[in-house]
Amino acid sequence: MLDKNGIAKRIAKEVKDGYYVNLGIGIPTLVANYVRNDISVEFQSENGVLGMGPFPFEGQEDADIINAGKQTITTLPGASFFDSATSFAMIRGRHVDLTILGAMEVAENGDIANWKIPGKMVKGMGGAMDLVASAENIIVAMMHTNRAGKSKLLKKCTLPLTGVGCVKKIVTNLAVLEVTNEGFKLLERAPGVTVEVIKRATEGRLIVDREVPEMNI
C-alpha cells in the first residue's frame, strides 16, 4: 500500500519530457519532487507560476513564492510569474499537456467531484472547473477509500460534480486504474496489495482482464 508520497512518485512516471503540467492542491503538489532529472518539465500553478520546482527545505522557504494551495515552493531557473488572466489563458487555451488533480470521488465514467462537501463552507469551485473542462489528459491522485473505509471510486458520484467524463487515469494508495467505457480498468496494484483487496475497495465496475503487475516505483 502506498502513502501520499508513493502516489506522487508513481504519477511522476506519467510525466514526459517537454510536458507542461498543472498540479492541483493536495497530493498532486508532491509530484514535482519525484520527476526524473534527465527530462525537462514545466510545472504550472494556476495562481500564476510557470517553472515550479520541488518544495523548499526547512529554513529555506520564501513566503512570497507559493502555489495555488498557499504552500511555499521553489522555482527553477527561467521561471516566470504572471497574473491569473494569463494563467487561465494557458489552461483554457489547452497549452497544458497534463493536469494532476486530487478528488473526493471519481465515477466509473470519469466524472470527478473534488470541490465541495455538503454542509461545509467553501468560497466556490475556483479554477478546478477550468482545469477539468480544458484539459485533455487528467490524472487523479487520491486515496481509494475514505476514513470510514467506504469506496471513493463509485458507480456514480454523490457529491457535486466538478467535471463530467473527463478523468483518464487514477492512482490511489492501492492501484493504478484507467477509466474506460466499460468502467475502471485495473492496470497495476500497489506493493503488497492483492486484486481481491482492490475489488472490495471499489464500488464502481472494476475490469480485471489479465494478470495485474505490481507497481514498480
Side-chain angles (χ1 to χ4, degrees):
M1 188 179 299
L2 303 179
D3 60 10
K4 292 180 180 181
N5 285 286
I7 294 172
K9 189 179 293 187
R10 173 59 187 82
I11 291 176
K13 289 181 173 289
E14 302 290 325
V15 178
K16 309 300 182 185
D17 188 35
Y19 266 18
Y20 287 85
V21 181
N22 179 281
L23 299 178
I25 297 169
I27 298 174
T29 61
L30 300 171
V31 173
N33 294 340
Y34 299 107
V35 172
R36 287 164 34 204
N37 293 325
D38 62 338
I39 63 174
S40 176
V41 179
E42 296 286 348
F43 287 106
Q44 192 249 19
S45 183
E46 65 198 60
N47 60 314
V49 185
L50 184 65
M52 288 192 299
F55 282 121
F57 291 109
E58 187 174 353
Q60 298 180 358
E61 302 93 339
D62 184 338
D64 290 326
I65 304 178
I66 61 172
N67 61 21
K70 301 181 177 64
Q71 298 168 303
T72 54
I73 57 172
T74 62
T75 55
L76 301 176
S80 57
F81 303 91
F82 35 84
D83 61 15
S84 289
T86 302
S87 180
F88 281 95
M90 294 177 183
I91 294 167
R92 294 169 183 168
R94 298 189 173 182
H95 302 294
V96 176
D97 299 296
L98 173 63
T99 297
I100 304 170
L101 297 173
M104 290 175 281
E105 294 178 347
V106 176
E108 61 185 32
N109 68 339
D111 292 354
I112 180 174
N114 76 342
W115 74 279
K116 183 175 176 62
I117 299 175
K120 291 197 174 184
M121 181 72 70
V122 294
K123 294 180 180 179
M125 191 181 294
M129 63 181 176
D130 294 274
L131 290 165
V132 299
S134 304
E136 295 183 350
N137 188 8
I138 296 176
I139 297 177
V140 168
M142 65 188 295
M143 294 297 170
H144 212 103
T145 59
N146 62 23
R147 293 179 181 177
K150 294 185 178 179
S151 181
K152 296 167 70 172
L153 275 65
L154 309 174
K155 296 181 184 300
K156 185 177 181 180
C157 291
T158 62
L159 298 173
L161 295 182
T162 312
V164 176
C166 56
V167 176
K168 304 299 184 188
K169 187 174 286 186
I170 307 156
V171 181
T172 76
N173 55 321
L174 302 182
V176 179
L177 307 105
E178 179 184 4
V179 176
T180 72
N181 293 332
E182 290 75 37
F184 299 114
K185 183 177 181 179
L186 183 57
L187 302 180
E188 301 173 18
R189 53 189 176 82
V193 175
T194 66
V195 172
E196 288 305 315
V197 167
I198 298 167
K199 285 181 178 179
R200 290 197 299 270
T202 308
E203 180 201 280
R205 184 183 180 191
L206 185 67
I207 302 165
V208 184
D209 58 6
R210 59 185 174 85
E211 186 175 348
V212 181
E214 193 171 275
M215 291 184 209
N216 180 18
I217 57 171

